[in-house]
């Protein structure tokens, strides 16, 4: 090997060492003396990537939107591109998430808005001549209510007697109270 002085540059040292090596050893030496192995910064790819004007225009317009408009844009893009909200599995088969069938969406839209399952029984009024009978009927249909509580309740009519009832229970309660002389409304 040649004698290498301290004042020589890395390239000069590389050339001096490389003259006495075979091709494989020469390549290894060049790699070892490269910038990455001497703690020097490697040049980064240029961050000045040029984008088409169409893309730049779209990004400029999107960046001016407020949060509500961005949410609307998101939902419109999902609808237009037929993207579902279901999470896509990252590991596995590589198949994209299937779009929800449109038939089911149409059926849901055609279905009634809501079917009421819980009802409330409301006493609207009562016949003054049958006040005692209404008080007894209220006491009978309400568990844990004594006569004094039933009297105060009847005197405070209109009021809801009981809530969160099934349809048939509400109908039975209505029949009992109507027979006693009260005007009942099921809500």
């Amino acid at each position: 090997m040649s004698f290498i002085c301290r004042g020589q540059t890395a390239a000069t040292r590389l050339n001096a060492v490389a003259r006495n090596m075979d091709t494989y050893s020469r390549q290894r030496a060049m790699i070892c003396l490269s910038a990455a192995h001497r703690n020097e910064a490697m040049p980064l790819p240029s961050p000045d990537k040029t984008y088409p004007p169409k893309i730049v225009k779209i990004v400029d317009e999107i960046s001016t939107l407020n949060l509500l408009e961005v949410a609307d844009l998101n939902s419109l893009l999902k609808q237009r591109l037929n993207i579902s909200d279901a999470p896509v599995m990252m590991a596995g088969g590589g198949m994209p998430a299937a779009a929800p069938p449109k038939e089911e969406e149409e059926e849901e839209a055609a279905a009634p808005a809501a079917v009421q399952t819980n009802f409330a029984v409301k006493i609207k009024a009562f016949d003054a001549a049958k006040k005692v009978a209404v008080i007894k009927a209220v006491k009978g249909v309400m568990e844990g209510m004594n006569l004094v509580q039933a009297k105060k309740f009847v005197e405070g009519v209109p009021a809801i007697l009981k809530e969160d009832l099934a349809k048939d229970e509400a109908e039975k309660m209505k029949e009992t109270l109507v027979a006693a002389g009260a005007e009942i409304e099921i809500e």
Side-chain angles (χ1 to χ4, degrees):
M1 275 200 194
S2 311
F3 180 79
I4 302 174
C5 298
R6 281 187 173 239
Q8 294 176 331
T9 64
T12 308
R13 283 184 290 195
L14 179 62
N15 287 334
V17 171
R19 274 187 239 126
N20 296 323
M21 297 181 188
D22 61 358
T23 306
Y24 177 74
S25 298
R26 193 175 301 135
Q27 288 174 347
R28 286 183 50 115
M30 293 177 82
I31 291 171
C32 289
L33 292 174
S34 71
H37 292 292
R38 287 184 288 142
N39 294 329
E40 292 178 10
M42 293 287 293
L44 296 174
S46 72
D48 300 331
K49 182 177 179 183
T50 56
Y51 296 98
K54 180 180 178 181
I55 301 297
V56 171
K57 181 182 175 193
I58 292 171
V59 169
D60 289 340
E61 289 179 14
I62 290 174
S63 63
T64 62
L65 298 177
N66 65 33
L67 190 59
L68 293 175
E69 293 169 333
V70 170
D72 290 342
L73 174 67
N74 183 22
S75 62
L76 180 63
L77 283 173
K78 283 181 180 179
Q79 179 184 2
R80 178 95 30 103
L81 299 176
N82 204 14
I83 299 172
S84 68
D85 285 334
V88 178
M89 293 180 55
M90 292 307 215
M95 293 197 40
K102 291 188 177 184
E103 293 174 9
E104 291 179 19
E105 292 175 6
E106 292 172 3
E107 289 176 9
E108 290 176 10
V115 176
Q116 186 176 358
T117 57
N118 295 332
F119 297 89
V121 176
K122 180 179 182 180
I123 299 179
K124 292 172 40 177
F126 61 91
D127 184 10
K130 297 183 179 179
K131 181 177 179 181
V132 175
V134 172
I135 293 171
K136 287 182 179 179
V138 168
K139 180 188 175 289
V141 296
M142 294 296 294
E143 292 181 17
M145 189 179 274
N146 61 32
L147 273 174
V148 175
Q149 292 170 329
K151 180 179 182 251
K152 287 182 181 178
F153 180 83
V154 170
E155 290 172 348
V157 165
I160 294 177
L161 182 61
K162 199 164 187 181
E163 295 179 318
D164 296 329
L165 295 171
K167 177 96 173 155
D168 58 336
E169 290 178 63
E171 289 294 331
K172 286 180 186 176
M173 194 176 284
K174 178 181 178 179
E175 288 174 14
T176 304
L177 293 168
V178 167
E183 288 182 35
I184 304 298
E185 178 181 295
I186 296 179
E187 297 177 342

